[in-house]
């Protein structure tokens, strides 16, 4: 491992600390180094506040002069919610800047590196780029497609069931696994479920305890079935609740839900009259949502996989077997005809959590199920 690789890895580790706090901004870490010795470090800590480079340079003070700055993303060169980072880098007397990747944001996109070079600073871009792209996959997707990064989550038995044939599902996973789910929810901009799940379970869809973000609850409800007495409806004034429908309709229930604080959005419908998945994601992206979590049920998860819309999965596998040909499975929908067409995950990690197997993996963009 080279010196550049070592310090960039450290900067990437720091950047991770901003997850859930800085979106829709990217996660960024910065390290000031001189003679292979750490002078200062920081990360982008909260949306709207100082960027990682500025924090690190302020911590370094006069010691920054003549040093090397390692940063996980090209320094910005435009006035946004904070001043340009390039100005701070130049003023600090930094000798060399090593950036993991170019920032594709149109107002930066190589211009930050060019400004630093014009000021006589040696600039290297591309050290640790693959890891930086993985770190900021949600930011890059929102910027590149206008749609949020989609996480799919489910808990299932060892034989692949999310509920028994009678519909019972509490609780498949351990309490420790459920705590991890709440941590995941606390980093999301939206939690998406189908109306069937809401009617069956009457969930709150909140993070307990609260995380750095408060997710909007999104219900796919083409038939206007959300009960006005449900937990989602009665807490809608306090927690954003969006009801996505595939057809415009006015009825007493809709008027009551609107008065309770629910927001309705009518979207392009699929052949079954349900909200089209990618149209929904475009709407959520328009609202600058960066990460969304799909919690099910099986029909909703299947529709997201069929649309090729899932970017990452989080699966909790409990060491129990329930059996039953009619027991529910996590991913319904159309699926594929041949195993060779199946979606293969990449960058998988597997952990144990109180007896459960916790698998996390990314959906290869070249290998998604969508055929459209």
């Amino acid at each position: 491992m080279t010196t550049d690789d070592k310090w960039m890895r450290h900067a990437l580790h720091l950047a991770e600390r901003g997850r859930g706090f800085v979106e829709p901004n990217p996660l960024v870490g910065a390290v000031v180094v001189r003679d292979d010795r750490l002078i200062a470090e920081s990360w982008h800590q909260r949306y709207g506040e100082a960027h990682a480079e500025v924090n690190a340079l302020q911590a370094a003070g006069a010691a920054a002069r003549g040093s090397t700055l390692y940063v996980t993303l090209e320094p910005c060169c435009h006035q946004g919610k904070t001043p340009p980072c390039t100005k701070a880098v130049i003023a600090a007397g930094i000798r060399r800047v090593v950036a993991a990747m170019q920032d594709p944001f149109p107002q930066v996109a190589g211009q930050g590196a060019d400004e630093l070079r014009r000021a006589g600073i040696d600039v290297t871009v591309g050290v640790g780029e693959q890891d930086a792209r993985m770190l900021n996959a949600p930011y890059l997707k929102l910027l590149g497609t206008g749609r949020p990064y989609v996480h799919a989550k489910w808990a299932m038995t060892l034989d692949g069931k999310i509920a028994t044939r009678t519909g019972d599902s509490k609780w498949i996973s351990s309490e420790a696994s459920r705590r991890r789910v709440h941590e995941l929810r606390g980093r999301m901009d939206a939690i998406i479920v189908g109306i069937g799940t809401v009617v069956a379970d009457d969930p709150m869809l909140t993070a307990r305890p609260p995380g750095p973000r408060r997710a909007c609850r999104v219900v796919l409800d083409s038939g206007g079935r959300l009960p006005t007495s449900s937990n989602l409806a009665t807490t809608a004034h306090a927690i954003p609740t969006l009801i996505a429908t595939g057809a415009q309709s006015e009825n007493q229930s809709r008027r009551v839900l609107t008065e309770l604080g629910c927001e309705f959005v009518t979207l392009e419908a699929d052949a079954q009259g349900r909200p089209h998945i990618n149209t929904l994601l475009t709407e959520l992206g328009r609202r600058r949502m960066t990460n969304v979590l799909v919690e099910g049920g099986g029909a909703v998860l299947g529709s997201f996989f069929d649309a090729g819309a899932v970017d990452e999965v989080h699966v909790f596998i409990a060491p129990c077997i329930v059996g039953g040909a009619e027991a529910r499975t996590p991913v319904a929908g159309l699926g594929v005809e041949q195993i060779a067409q199946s979606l293969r995950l990449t960058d998988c990690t597997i952990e144990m959590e109180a007896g459960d197997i916790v698998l996390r993996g990314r959906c290869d963009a070249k290998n998604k199920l969508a055929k459209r």
Side-chain angles (χ1 to χ4, degrees), residues 69-293:
L69 172 68
Y70 291 89
V71 61
T72 57
L73 190 69
E74 175 189 8
C76 68
C77 54
H78 68 288
Q79 176 70 48
K81 289 187 176 296
T82 60
C85 291
T86 50
K87 303 300 184 188
V89 173
I90 294 168
I94 288 291
R95 176 184 62 84
R96 181 177 180 236
V97 171
V98 181
M101 60 176 288
Q102 184 181 100
D103 187 349
F105 188 72
Q107 290 176 272
V108 186
Q111 298 173 74
D114 288 345
E115 181 177 334
L116 295 176
R117 291 187 180 105
R118 288 195 299 271
I121 297 172
D122 180 17
V123 179
T124 300
V125 179
V127 176
E129 180 169 359
Q130 183 176 354
D131 290 338
R133 287 188 172 276
M134 288 178 62
L135 174 79
N136 271 315
Y139 166 75
L140 296 173
K141 184 184 179 188
L142 181 61
L143 193 61
T145 70
R147 295 173 180 169
Y149 189 83
V150 178
H151 303 254
K153 164 261 160 184
W154 65 87
M156 68 182 187
T157 63
L158 195 58
D159 55 336
K161 310 297 184 182
I162 60 171
T164 68
R165 58 183 170 80
T166 66
D168 182 57
S169 62
K170 292 184 172 56
W171 293 99
I172 289 174
S173 58
S174 67
E175 184 177 348
S177 290
R178 297 197 297 275
R179 282 197 297 269
R180 288 184 63 149
V181 171
H182 282 283
E183 291 172 2
L184 182 62
R185 285 179 175 180
R187 300 194 301 270
M188 295 291 128
D189 293 308
I191 299 170
I192 304 171
V193 296
I195 186 59
T197 295
V198 175
V199 171
D201 299 338
D202 194 21
M204 282 288 291
L205 300 181
T206 55
R208 301 183 294 276
R213 306 190 81 76
R214 186 178 67 170
C216 172
R217 291 93 55 94
V218 179
V219 183
L220 303 183
D221 183 14
S222 57
R225 296 168 53 203
L226 180 65
T228 58
S229 60
S230 66
N231 282 321
L232 296 185
T234 57
T235 59
H237 271 307
I239 307 168
T241 304
L242 183 68
I243 303 174
T245 67
Q248 183 67 260
S249 62
E250 283 294 339
N251 53 46
Q252 182 62 31
S253 175
R254 178 166 180 155
R255 287 192 290 272
V256 172
L257 290 169
T258 300
E259 290 171 359
L260 288 170
C262 296
E263 178 187 358
F264 282 80
V265 58
T266 302
L267 304 171
E268 176 188 349
D270 62 18
Q272 289 74 43
R274 299 172 302 195
H276 194 282
I277 295 304
N278 284 321
T279 303
L280 169 65
L281 293 175
T282 298
E283 172 62 22
L284 299 183
R286 186 187 68 79
R287 298 170 183 238
R288 305 303 295 159
M289 294 186 183
T290 307
N291 290 278
V292 301
L293 177 64

